[in-house]
Amino acid sequence: MASASASSLLLTGATSDIGRSVAHRFAQQGWTIGLLGGDRAALEGLAGRLSGASSTIVRGLDLTDDAEVEAAVTEVGEQMGGRLDVLVNAAGVLRPGRFEQLDLFAHRALIDGNLWAMLAVTHAAFPFLRDADGARVVSVASASSMYGRPDLASYSAAKAGVRSLTQALNLEWAH
């Protein structure tokens, strides 16, 4: 179990360049770090390289499986003492291709892996964020969220959704 006094971070997409940088930065500050993602071995490898973290909790899961996300976030949140100071949504899926050449399954995977996974994790994390003074949610989007890009139509749409949802929650949860 994590120290009740250590600040806590829950991170998705930790094995990406941005995610690794975030994990190392918060570990150097002595935070308790929860790592969620699909490649448990890669997450465990990263956890072993995080020097300075108060503790590190690794949970492999399919971020597009709602029940699995709920169970994992609840488990990690409880191990972090029932509160979560920062949630960083850095997970994402990229599959370029012309819109009409990608089948609907590929479009669904892009929407689910970029927008739905972020929404599900954030929803599951809310009770733990609510119970931490000054909690923050940071969601990594893309320049493609500001303007659509050829061969990245569904990715751009999903990342625009990530951006808009995070902005809306910033206003909704300001209190």
Side-chain angles (χ1 to χ4, degrees):
M1 178 172 239
S3 163
S5 63
S7 295
S8 54
L9 164 74
L10 182 60
L11 174 63
T12 68
T15 58
S16 69
D17 290 342
I18 292 171
R20 280 192 305 273
S21 295
V22 169
H24 282 290
R25 178 66 176 236
F26 281 80
Q28 290 169 355
Q29 302 300 315
W31 285 51
T32 296
I33 308 216
L35 304 173
L36 299 181
D39 188 344
R40 185 177 178 98
L43 293 174
E44 287 175 349
L46 173 62
R49 294 186 304 278
L50 292 178
S51 59
S54 172
S55 67
T56 305
I57 303 161
V58 173
R59 182 70 155 71
L61 75 156
D62 175 356
L63 287 167
T64 64
D65 181 318
D66 300 346
E68 214 176 328
V69 167
E70 181 73 31
V73 172
T74 299
E75 176 187 318
V76 172
E78 289 171 356
Q79 290 178 9
M80 290 181 163
R83 79 164 211 280
L84 179 57
D85 297 294
V86 177
L87 168 62
V88 175
N89 292 301
V93 177
L94 179 64
R95 180 175 175 192
R98 293 192 51 83
F99 179 81
E100 70 279 4
Q101 292 174 341
L102 294 176
D103 62 23
L104 285 177
F105 179 78
H107 288 289
R108 172 69 58 100
L110 285 163
I111 299 296
D112 287 353
N114 289 294
L115 177 57
W116 187 259
M118 173 267 178
L119 186 148
V121 169
T122 304
H123 191 270
F126 175 75
F128 302 103
L129 294 161
R130 178 193 57 217
D131 293 342
D133 291 334
R136 298 285 184 257
V137 175
V138 177
S139 299
V140 177
S142 167
S144 295
S145 71
M146 306 284 282
Y147 49 87
R149 295 202 37 217
D151 299 326
L152 295 175
S154 292
Y155 174 82
S156 297
K159 289 301 187 177
V162 166
R163 191 171 124 267
S164 293
L165 179 61
T166 304
Q167 289 171 336
L169 292 177
N170 183 50
L171 297 170
E172 190 171 322
W173 293 351
H175 66 282

